[in-house]
Amino acid sequence: MANYTLQGLGPTYVKKNKPHSSDNDLIKFNTSWRSIVHRKKKRCRSLLMKINAVVNDSTFDFEDSDWKIHYQDQFEERMRLPHLNDNLNVTPRQTTFFLKNRVGRLADGIDSLEEKSNYVDDNDRALLRVIKFSSPTSAGAECIDPYCNWVELWVHRAGPRKQIYFEPDSVKAAIVTCGGLCPGLNDVIRQIVFTLEVYGVKNIIGIPFGYRGFVDEELLEMPLSRDVVQNINLAGGSLLGVSRGGADVNDIVDRIQAKQISMLFILGGNGTHAGGKALHEECQRRRMKISIICVPKTIDNDILLMDKTFGFDTAVEEAQKAINSAYIEAHSAYKGIGLVKLMGRSSGFIAMHASLSSGQTDICLIPEVPFNLEGQYGVLKYLEKLMQKKGSAVICVAEGAGQELLQRSNAIDASGNAVLADIGVYLQQKIKNHFKDIGDHADIKYIDPTYMIRAVRANASDAILCTVLGQNAVHGAFAGFSGITVGICNTHYVYLPISEVIECPRLVDPDSRMWHRCLTSTGQPDFI
């Protein structure tokens, strides 16, 4: 994880025109600000940390009247999209992607069509942040400097360009899905193929079973076309299959060269994006004319700078069903406790949003917020009170929560992720033993819907998101970008450099308004 620092927060950098009437006020202000920054520096959760992940803070002096300009300039440089022209001399041509509008009139006996204006200018930008906070103590404040000054930070707008850098007839495009399953994979594959064909690409292939499909001689590439992918969105899973890990970067690039692939679309999470970045850099080193575009796929919703990733809405919807079932089981049993374990290795977004949407969760436990099981303020003591008051309870826990309570192993999976101990089974046993020890009855119903959630078809919200992401991925490739990912930021679709979204996972901020809303809904205290 990157080392995040904020410089210039001491009294030396406080502007003289700020209303601090005494040294004590000044010390109090800076102590408070340092406390806020310290909490957020440790977590990489807020927008502040996302921004500081892409700016070299060590060069900033907030006393400098031009610090905003310097800040914006560095941000703009870090957000610059890698392009084929960076190390190749490629000439653009007029796009082959166009839509026509029938105007309903005849000209010289010919039915006239007019081209619609559907192109995005290269200088179009979308705002990264839209709220101006008045002070660092505002609810959910995300500040860059001690006074929460408003700083406009812009990222590149996604969409079709008037100029393209590939001849569609000569393009060979490949699609690969990596990591685990996620609702919406087939929707993205489908839209990539559809959009490529609109541009005029005829040679489209699918690489089977992730990066492994590049090097395993037994795995054959799959020809793709509109006819092949027409109805794949009606089912969950991935038409191409998935796998973790795979092969050496050089071996994969060797196969890309041998297959004469000129566009590669990679669907995956943080680890997959890191792999995509490595492939892009090796292809650049070899001066290959290839566009490598990632599409962020993670149920956990843990990619930096993005509003959400595809599959998340569907996961929350399915997780809510599991919570509702746990509630019915617990409510129908004598002193019943429903326990639901949901996905979320390092980020508790699914557990938080599912708890909020169900309205039936009494306790929500996520990786970002530490908790105690034992003691006066622990989860078990609170459960006792719930059982006395309500006669039943529902607990929702993310898979990465409470790992410090369990025995750790040094095992890692094929993607390089640490293998987590099972917090669900652990909690089930601890609750059972606790109520047995105090001589009380508890009927625990444990539900783990993980694989059921991953395998379902995308819901309407995710299907729309997948459709637009798939289309914009193709637009980005034809625009000549490479080493980028496509996402949604403040409701607008944008392109971001891969390097800037893999600094660290996006996490729930315990100081955020959304987590506070969850606490209000569940009514739970701090378990520390």
Side-chain angles (χ1 to χ4, degrees):
M1 183 178 292
N3 181 27
Y4 303 103
T5 58
L6 282 174
Q7 303 292 330
L9 298 177
T12 306
Y13 297 93
V14 175
K15 295 180 181 178
K16 294 180 181 179
N17 60 350
K18 294 294 178 179
H20 294 299
S21 57
S22 69
D23 289 341
N24 287 336
D25 289 338
L26 186 64
I27 294 170
K28 197 176 298 181
F29 175 84
N30 281 283
T31 302
S32 172
W33 171 254
R34 286 179 182 275
S35 175
I36 293 169
V37 171
H38 177 70
R39 291 202 309 271
K40 294 192 174 186
K41 276 167 62 178
K42 288 173 63 179
R43 293 191 296 262
C44 187
R45 288 167 185 150
S46 68
L47 180 59
L48 170 65
M49 288 299 100
K50 299 172 197 173
I51 294 171
N52 288 334
V54 295
V55 177
N56 179 9
D57 295 324
S58 62
T59 64
F60 283 94
D61 175 355
F62 291 121
E63 191 180 41
D64 183 355
S65 60
D66 292 328
W67 75 265
K68 284 188 188 179
I69 297 173
H70 301 321
Y71 200 107
Q72 289 170 318
D73 288 346
Q74 285 201 25
F75 183 84
E76 176 73 16
E77 177 59 27
R78 292 293 295 271
M79 286 297 168
R80 191 187 71 82
L81 302 179
H83 195 276
L84 295 176
N85 269 330
D86 291 346
N87 64 349
L88 297 173
N89 185 18
V90 288
T91 304
R93 55 151 293 173
Q94 191 70 21
T95 184
T96 54
F97 177 88
F98 62 92
L99 300 172
K100 295 288 186 177
N101 183 35
R102 192 172 297 280
V103 296
R105 72 171 188 270
L106 294 176
D108 298 326
I110 300 174
D111 197 2
S112 176
L113 296 178
E114 288 186 359
E115 186 174 340
K116 294 181 179 179
S117 177
N118 282 286
Y119 303 112
V120 171
D121 192 277
D122 283 340
N123 292 319
D124 284 358
R125 299 290 189 271
L127 268 176
L128 182 66
R129 58 186 302 204
V130 294
I131 298 177
K132 180 180 180 180
F133 295 97
S134 63
S135 75
T137 57
S138 295
E142 296 166 335
C143 305
I144 296 172
D145 73 315
Y147 305 105
C148 252
N149 281 290
W150 170 253
V151 182
E152 291 184 356
L153 298 174
W154 300 93
V155 290
H156 293 258
R157 185 181 175 204
R161 268 60 173 172
K162 287 185 178 180
Q163 300 288 320
I164 60 175
Y165 287 80
F166 290 91
E167 291 293 336
D169 287 343
S170 63
V171 166
K172 182 176 183 180
I175 307 171
V176 61
T177 54
C178 305
L181 286 180
C182 177
L185 283 169
N186 283 335
D187 299 70
V188 178
I189 294 169
R190 181 173 181 263
Q191 285 301 320
I192 289 175
V193 173
F194 282 7
T195 312
L196 284 168
E197 289 195 351
V198 171
Y199 273 95
V201 178
K202 298 179 176 63
N203 194 356
I204 310 170
I205 63 169
I207 304 297
F209 299 106
Y211 289 134
R212 184 187 307 276
F214 281 105
V215 295
D216 190 330
E217 298 294 341
E218 295 182 357
L219 299 176
L220 303 179
E221 64 185 45
M222 179 187 300
L224 299 176
S225 66
R226 176 178 285 266
D227 290 341
V228 173
V229 303
Q230 182 67 54
N231 296 315
I232 62 173
N233 61 310
L234 302 180
S238 168
L239 172 71
L240 304 177
V242 295
S243 71
R244 299 188 184 277
D248 178 76
V249 170
N250 285 304
D251 292 340
I252 294 175
V253 175
D254 287 344
R255 296 301 297 160
I256 289 173
Q257 280 188 301
K259 291 176 179 288
Q260 297 183 317
I261 293 170
S262 47
M263 291 183 183
L264 177 60
F265 301 96
I266 305 172
L267 284 57
N270 275 303
T272 301
H273 273 62
K277 177 176 178 287
L279 293 176
H280 160 72
E281 290 173 348
E282 178 59 22
C283 289
Q284 270 197 324
R285 190 187 68 80
R286 300 188 190 189
R287 299 181 61 81
M288 295 166 56
K289 187 184 179 183
I290 179 173
S291 181
I292 296 177
I293 311 291
C294 285
V295 181
K297 173 233 67 173
T298 166
I299 270 182
D300 292 350
N301 200 35
D302 62 352
I303 304 277
L304 280 180
L305 303 175
M306 299 182 187
D307 292 357
K308 63 180 178 179
T309 52
F310 77 82
F312 173 68
D313 277 352
T314 306
V316 170
E317 187 174 306
E318 294 299 312
Q320 176 189 273
K321 295 177 183 177
I323 293 175
N324 292 343
S325 296
Y327 169 79
I328 292 171
E329 287 285 353
H331 192 67
S332 301
Y334 174 62
K335 294 191 174 181
I337 297 175
L339 174 60
V340 180
K341 185 185 79 171
L342 298 175
M343 288 161 292
R345 295 181 57 86
S346 57
S347 305
F349 288 103
I350 294 179
M352 177 176 69
H353 282 256
S355 295
L356 269 169
S357 60
S358 72
Q360 295 163 337
T361 303
D362 298 296
I363 299 173
C364 179
L365 305 173
I366 61 174
E368 296 89 340
V369 180
F371 61 90
N372 293 324
L373 282 178
E374 313 287 349
Q376 181 181 358
Y377 303 107
V379 172
L380 297 175
K381 197 69 176 178
Y382 184 64
L383 259 181
E384 286 183 42
K385 296 177 182 177
L386 285 174
M387 298 301 283
Q388 292 168 5
K389 181 179 179 180
K390 298 175 56 179
S392 64
V394 175
I395 305 171
C396 178
V397 59
E399 62 181 320
Q403 289 297 304
E404 66 278 2
L405 304 174
L406 290 80
Q407 184 174 356
R408 297 189 179 187
S409 71
N410 294 322
I412 58 172
D413 63 20
S415 296
N417 300 314
V419 176
L420 300 179
D422 195 328
I423 185 63
V425 172
Y426 177 79
L427 277 179
Q428 180 187 26
Q429 197 60 45
K430 292 291 287 187
I431 295 169
K432 181 179 178 181
N433 292 340
H434 175 78
F435 280 91
K436 182 179 179 181
D437 291 343
I438 65 174
D440 204 351
H441 177 80
D443 188 353
I444 305 169
K445 310 294 186 180
Y446 176 48
I447 299 175
D448 180 355
T450 301
Y451 292 105
M452 294 176 66
I453 291 175
R454 296 193 338 167
V456 302
R457 173 188 174 186
N459 67 7
S461 175
D462 271 330
I464 294 171
L465 177 58
C466 291
T467 295
V468 183
L469 291 178
Q471 292 176 0
N472 280 328
V474 177
H475 295 321
F478 269 101
F481 300 123
S482 182
I484 68 167
T485 189
V486 58
I488 184 169
C489 178
N490 288 322
T491 74
H492 295 284
Y493 291 89
V494 300
Y495 295 133
L496 301 164
I498 294 176
S499 57
E500 303 308 329
V501 301
I502 60 174
E503 290 281 345
C504 64
R506 177 183 179 226
L507 306 176
V508 173
D509 184 355
D511 295 326
S512 68
R513 296 291 296 125
M514 191 58 75
W515 178 244
H516 291 170
R517 292 174 186 129
C518 186
L519 295 179
T520 301
S521 176
T522 62
Q524 70 191 64
D526 291 331
F527 298 115
I528 52 175

